[in-house]
Amino acid sequence: MSRVAVELDFFPVQKVTSSDGAPPRKIFDRRRSFRDIQSVISKIDPEVLKNVFASGSIDRSLIGKSSVSVPSTPKAKGYQNALPPLPVYTPTFRPTSSSEGSNETTSPLTIFYNGTVSVFDVSPLAGENILKLANDGGFKAVQPADSKPGEIVETFNGDLPLFRRKSLQRFLQKRKERLTLLSSPYGGSTDSASFGQNTPAL
Amino acid sequence: MEERNASRANISMSDMIIDQVIPYITDPRDRASVSLVCRSWYDLDALTRKHVTIALCYTVTPARLWRRFKQLESLNLKGKPRASMFNLIPEDWGGYATPWVEEIATSFAGLKFLHFRRMIVTDSDLEVLAKSRGKDLLVLKLDKSLKSLVLEESTIIEKDGEWLHEIALNNTVLEALNFYMTDLSKIRVEDLELIARRCSSLVSVKISDFDILDLMGFFRAAGSLEEFGGGSFNVQPEKYSAVRFPPKLCRLGLTYMGKNEMPIVFPFAAVLRKLDLLYALLDTEDHCLLIQRCPNLEVLETRNVIGDRGLEVLARCCKTLRRLRIERGADEQGMEDEEGVVSQRGLIAVAQGCLELEYVAVYVSDITNASLECFGTHLKNLCDFRLVLLDREERITDLPLDNGVRALLRGCHRLRRFALYLRPGGLTDTGLGYVGQYSQNIRWMLLGYVGGSDAGLLEFSKGCPNLQKLEMRGCCFSEYALAVATSRLKSLRYLWVQGYRASENGHDLLAMVRPFWNIELIPSRRVVVADPLGEAVYHEHPAHILAYYSLAGRRKDFPDTVKPLDPVSFLTS
């Protein structure tokens, strides 16, 4: 299976207008984009990220310097070198021919980020998820046929749907079940039907 | 010498006086002030304190509670964040009752009232409470003296119904028993009847689903019963006409009661003071028919199927209404009455008609500033106001609600609890500043989708002098702004946030670190649930921050889904 290099560009030209209706900034704001990227990456489950990094062969000795701004608290003094955002990998491309007989069908994923370049071997699903994450901040979720558009939660972009109180949720679910049972040919019998699990044997 | 004698006499005089006065001081804040005056007053408060509410069970250890208040008679313990009532918190988050039950069983001899809220309670916990305290004692005084056991909304890990049987056998003083809306299914009706027969003071019983017909024996036996909730209607309506309710019953909530069963309530509807229709099967017209027969209603809880028309009937007929809660009904087409929406029309009617209202919680489909202003103008006794704007309608008549919210907060100066859950554009940064400015007495707040930027939060945090507990969801604030706001809110001791702009690895939260302040994170999770069709649905749950003052240090029972914030880990890789 031929490998397809997937590229993620974390520095798109700003298209979004700000909420107070100011005209879109034409000048690329690296700092803002950096925060957006950070916020996107920080939403990724750390375990997933670890696995993603581990699956590619990364030279961990080549760690880029962090240029993150640090809050001025004494405890944060040692921060500067503590948390590199991403490891650096050189070279920046991989040969597309070799397959190494692996059954995993992974492809290289190249990320250009803050002056560093990294390449990982990811499975198609992981790659798709990372792309989706970067594009619209959400994992691809299973959409059942009768769901409303907003019902499946995607990662936070101001999009938390209203959740219902557990007790009410349970009641509404049970009510549906009762209606289904009643409308079935076998429902509505003269003896007490066991709708509640607690109907004791008489 | 005389001087010394005189001052000694003065001390004992004031001791005598405070001894007489202190039983009348019950407000916990007053008690806290009393205990800070001097050592002897501290000791006196410790000896005479009857009730303690522990808003989060991890803020203090059971042993510490015992060291301070040995004569406790009533304990209210809360565990999981309130968001767990909405399925937002991992089931195994924590809040185990076991360490508390162990301490109660061995130490608190005088405990009569016990309320577990959002905790994890096992069968064996309940057995410990009900059975003898230890092999050295003959009989456990606790179970005989247990007057109130409330398990509503707690997660019960049920093995069998033996614990209730133990209570039935050993207790004669039970006044209240509540396992409403729990999944307890192994209880026997005979045990309920036994409790009703043996406990002549049994006043309030709220249970899980049992058919009302099976409870007829229980109702006959419970002569003192004033409050009943739960039950179920599973057979033809005509069969229920034989049911006789206890003579003093005035607080009622019947699960699955439909329009055909509703008439069994009519004979005593006029004496009803509390009506719970949250789990009934009534439409808007049914609500109108029932409510107009209840002129003495003080408390009404129902779903928004009551509609604006039902609220107008309520406003006309129920002049003594003090508490009104309107929950969100089903969203699917055809599951609820089409009339079943609440809007500014219903709110205005209720504000003008029910002037005694102290508590209003409502899910609305539409809203205006004018309706909130109406609340501010008329409802001077309002202590607790909660408004959620449903997200089904795209267009809302009148947003943002800055002016209405300001008018409500200024008019309802007794407000102590406040929740506002809107949508983007529902409240501007200016409006959020108003909330901070006009919330002198508010102690708890839930804010959802308010403000537009960090500036709003920072303005808000300049006010709210008495805010102790803050919950926020769906807001756009950054971690750093949250940290700064937390440090400004001088009374804050509990913070819950879901949905915020995170910094890389949470390092901006370092600005919040301080002694005795526990910071926990629930990182974003992917939760699989079965939808109504039984298919797997993936919900992405964004991260939560939970932070609270604690005298107990960091908790030791974290599940995998919850991570403490460890400042030291930011210094080492």
Side-chain angles (χ1 to χ4, degrees):
Chain A
M1 185 172 199
S2 69
R3 289 182 175 188
V4 177
V6 178
E7 287 188 5
L8 265 179
D9 184 6
F10 278 84
F11 299 96
V13 173
Q14 293 286 15
K15 289 180 198 150
V16 185
T17 57
S18 51
S19 58
D20 60 2
R25 281 183 300 233
K26 295 245 169 70
I27 298 164
F28 164 65
D29 185 351
R30 176 181 264 247
R31 211 172 8 100
R32 160 131 185 216
S33 192
F34 180 80
R35 273 210 294 277
D36 288 345
I37 297 162
Q38 284 184 316
S39 76
V40 162
I41 290 190
S42 69
K43 293 305 183 307
I44 303 177
D45 184 349
E47 291 307 313
V48 170
L49 260 184
K50 262 194 235 168
N51 290 332
V52 168
F53 294 166
S55 65
S57 50
I58 296 154
D59 186 353
R60 294 195 64 87
S61 64
L62 300 171
I63 290 177
K65 265 211 198 111
S66 162
S67 59
V68 176
S69 65
V70 176
S72 53
T73 63
K75 285 190 178 157
K77 250 194 204 139
Y79 168 81
Q80 212 92 29
N81 296 320
L83 293 164
L86 285 171
V88 171
Y89 178 85
T90 59
T92 58
F93 67 93
R94 288 177 144 239
T96 52
S97 51
S98 62
S99 66
E100 293 163 10
S102 122
N103 287 333
E104 291 172 80
T105 64
T106 58
S107 307
L109 172 70
T110 308
I111 299 182
F112 295 81
Y113 175 59
N114 194 30
T116 65
V117 180
S118 317
V119 180
F120 310 102
D121 266 333
V122 299
S123 69
L125 177 63
E128 225 176 276
N129 275 338
I130 293 173
L131 278 178
K132 193 134 172 69
L133 194 72
N135 277 327
D136 55 19
F139 278 105
K140 200 148 97 134
V142 173
Q143 294 259 2
D146 61 345
S147 73
K148 303 187 321 246
E151 197 161 284
I152 311 298
V153 185
E154 303 199 302
T155 51
F156 174 61
N157 263 324
D159 252 353
L160 283 86
L162 266 176
F163 274 67
R164 201 181 259 107
R165 203 176 262 263
K166 245 192 280 196
S167 48
L168 263 173
Q169 184 98 338
R170 199 170 45 211
F171 161 74
L172 293 172
Q173 184 58 37
K174 279 191 187 166
R175 182 176 69 167
K176 250 195 192 164
E177 288 164 13
R178 284 169 71 96
L179 288 174
T180 318
L181 270 161
L182 279 172
S183 61
S184 85
Y186 306 103
S189 62
T190 50
D191 297 319
S192 73
S194 51
F195 285 125
Q197 314 103 292
N198 307 307
T199 316
L202 293 173
Chain B
M1 181 70 169
E2 263 197 10
E3 218 176 274
R4 218 169 348 132
N5 282 340
S7 64
R8 218 181 290 132
N10 281 341
I11 287 169
S12 57
M13 251 292 260
S14 78
D15 278 349
M16 264 171 30
I17 292 172
I18 188 69
D19 279 353
Q20 294 301 311
V21 167
I22 200 153
Y24 297 96
I25 302 176
T26 52
D27 184 289
R29 278 149 57 110
D30 291 338
R31 279 275 177 164
S33 304
V34 162
S35 70
L36 292 173
V37 167
C38 63
R39 187 78 218 183
S40 68
W41 282 32
Y42 176 94
D43 292 336
L44 184 62
D45 167 55
L47 284 172
T48 57
R49 188 85 70 111
K50 295 276 188 285
H51 171 82
V52 166
T53 294
I54 298 180
L56 172 59
C57 57
Y58 292 114
T59 56
V60 75
T61 59
R64 194 170 181 135
L65 179 69
W66 161 243
R67 277 202 303 277
R68 176 98 190 260
F69 299 118
K70 293 183 163 55
Q71 310 292 336
L72 219 51
E73 292 178 12
S74 165
L75 179 62
N76 188 351
L77 264 171
K78 301 186 191 176
K80 294 179 185 159
R82 261 184 14 103
S84 77
M85 297 193 292
F86 300 84
N87 274 318
L88 296 174
I89 303 289
E91 264 310 306
D92 59 353
W93 178 88
Y96 298 97
T98 308
W100 296 92
V101 164
E102 280 165 4
E103 190 71 42
I104 287 165
T106 51
S107 312
F108 287 97
L111 200 72
K112 302 190 180 90
F113 300 92
L114 186 57
H115 189 162
F116 288 121
R117 195 107 200 262
R118 300 190 293 273
M119 304 220 17
I120 297 178
V121 182
T122 65
D123 239 48
S124 54
D125 292 332
L126 295 173
E127 276 175 30
V128 164
L129 285 173
K131 273 189 170 134
S132 41
R133 215 185 312 189
K135 52 182 167 22
D136 299 326
L137 302 178
L138 292 170
V139 182
L140 173 65
K141 294 296 178 190
L142 177 65
D143 67 295
K144 285 197 167 179
S145 63
L146 193 69
K147 285 196 173 179
S148 174
L149 180 63
V150 180
L151 300 168
E152 188 170 340
E153 303 225 40
S154 284
T155 308
I156 319 250
I157 298 163
E158 185 185 28
K159 191 176 47 137
D160 54 33
E162 276 314 302
W163 64 274
L164 189 69
H165 189 65
E166 286 296 323
I167 291 180
L169 290 180
N170 294 312
N171 191 305
T172 55
V173 298
L174 199 69
E175 293 174 7
L177 179 65
N178 181 334
F179 47 94
Y180 197 36
M181 287 297 130
T182 63
D183 283 324
L184 288 175
S185 60
K186 302 194 173 104
I187 316 273
R188 293 188 292 271
V189 168
E190 296 80 24
D191 288 330
L192 282 176
E193 267 181 62
L194 191 56
I195 291 176
R197 274 205 301 276
R198 299 192 73 225
C199 302
S200 55
S201 315
L202 192 65
V203 157
S204 166
V205 169
K206 292 168 83 168
I207 58 176
S208 39
D209 298 355
F210 281 88
D211 197 292
I212 296 289
L213 286 182
D214 298 331
L215 293 169
M216 278 171 65
F218 163 76
F219 286 139
R220 270 195 303 273
S224 306
L225 203 68
E226 294 175 21
E227 175 170 38
F228 179 76
S232 183
F233 292 88
N234 301 315
V235 301
Q236 294 96 328
E238 314 83 73
K239 297 213 170 166
Y240 295 101
S241 55
V243 173
R244 294 285 169 266
F245 288 103
K248 295 194 192 161
L249 198 66
C250 58
R251 305 196 292 276
L252 185 62
L254 295 172
T255 310
Y256 305 131
M257 178 178 76
K259 64 153 49 51
N260 294 322
E261 293 93 7
M262 198 170 64
I264 63 172
V265 177
F266 288 173
F268 58 99
V271 303
L272 280 181
R273 299 215 314 274
K274 174 174 173 181
L275 194 51
D276 174 355
L277 301 174
L278 286 172
Y279 313 107
L281 304 175
L282 305 178
D283 61 19
T284 306
E285 177 64 23
D286 299 332
H287 275 80
C288 296
L289 289 176
L290 180 53
I291 288 169
Q292 71 192 25
R293 290 166 184 266
C294 306
N296 292 307
L297 211 55
E298 293 173 17
V299 179
L300 176 65
E301 298 182 318
T302 185
R303 303 188 307 279
N304 55 1
V305 66
I306 186 177
D308 285 331
R309 187 158 70 94
L311 288 179
E312 283 164 352
V313 170
L314 187 69
R316 230 181 14 252
C317 301
C318 305
K319 295 302 183 186
T320 54
L321 198 69
R322 284 184 302 107
R323 296 174 66 92
L324 176 62
R325 177 166 154 219
I326 301 175
E327 278 279 0
R328 169 189 177 202
D331 297 327
E332 299 103 316
Q333 292 283 38
M335 286 304 293
E336 298 277 24
D337 198 318
E338 271 164 29
E339 265 195 282
V341 290
V342 171
S343 75
Q344 57 271 15
R345 181 180 133 206
L347 291 185
I348 290 174
V350 145
Q352 291 171 340
C354 304
L355 301 173
E356 304 298 312
L357 276 170
E358 294 165 6
Y359 171 106
V360 172
V362 59
Y363 281 78
V364 294
S365 307
D366 196 7
I367 188 79
T368 58
N369 280 285
S371 57
L372 297 178
E373 282 158 24
C374 218
F375 269 61
T377 308
H378 292 108
L379 300 180
K380 295 303 176 188
N381 290 334
L382 203 62
C383 300
D384 192 331
F385 176 77
R386 311 178 193 202
L387 180 85
V388 179
L389 181 59
L390 289 172
D391 52 10
R392 293 186 65 199
E393 297 300 320
E394 277 227 23
R395 211 193 142 265
I396 300 298
T397 300
D398 188 14
L399 289 183
L401 295 173
D402 295 10
N403 293 334
V405 167
R406 178 177 53 177
L408 189 149
L409 290 172
R410 288 172 90 173
C412 304
H413 51 268
R414 293 221 176 110
L415 219 52
R416 291 185 12 174
R417 298 168 73 80
F418 180 70
L420 196 60
Y421 200 108
L422 303 175
R423 57 171 69 178
L427 194 76
T428 67
D429 282 343
T430 309
L432 189 51
Y434 293 155
V435 176
Q437 196 180 350
Y438 297 107
S439 332
Q440 278 75 11
N441 296 320
I442 295 182
R443 309 220 189 130
W444 166 81
M445 248 194 238
L446 164 64
L447 299 173
Y449 287 100
V450 296
S453 72
D454 284 349
L457 181 64
L458 295 174
E459 193 58 34
F460 164 84
S461 63
K462 286 184 192 166
C464 302
N466 282 305
L467 191 64
Q468 295 174 341
K469 182 171 174 179
L470 177 60
E471 299 173 12
M472 291 199 284
R473 192 163 189 261
C475 302
C476 56
F477 310 128
S478 69
E479 247 172 40
Y480 193 64
L482 288 171
V484 170
T486 304
S487 63
R488 282 191 193 172
L489 291 163
K490 20 193 191 72
S491 300
L492 195 70
R493 49 193 197 192
Y494 181 110
L495 174 73
W496 176 81
V497 181
Q498 187 186 29
Y500 58 95
R501 287 190 286 119
S503 63
E504 179 189 326
N505 288 308
H507 74 260
D508 275 353
L509 278 182
L510 286 177
M512 202 195 276
V513 168
R514 70 185 91 135
F516 299 109
W517 186 247
N518 287 0
I519 306 174
E520 299 176 10
L521 299 171
I522 304 178
S524 57
R525 309 168 283 146
R526 216 165 166 211
V527 177
V528 183
V529 284
D531 77 348
L533 298 177
E535 296 194 10
V537 165
Y538 295 92
H539 280 183
E540 187 74 28
H541 281 245
H544 310 231
I545 300 171
L546 176 67
Y548 53 93
Y549 275 121
S550 174
L551 297 172
R554 187 184 291 171
R555 48 187 272 220
K556 299 178 179 53
D557 56 4
F558 285 107
D560 293 333
T561 41
V562 184
K563 313 249 176 283
L565 187 89
D566 183 6
V568 175
S569 71
F570 285 90
L571 303 176
T572 58
S573 320

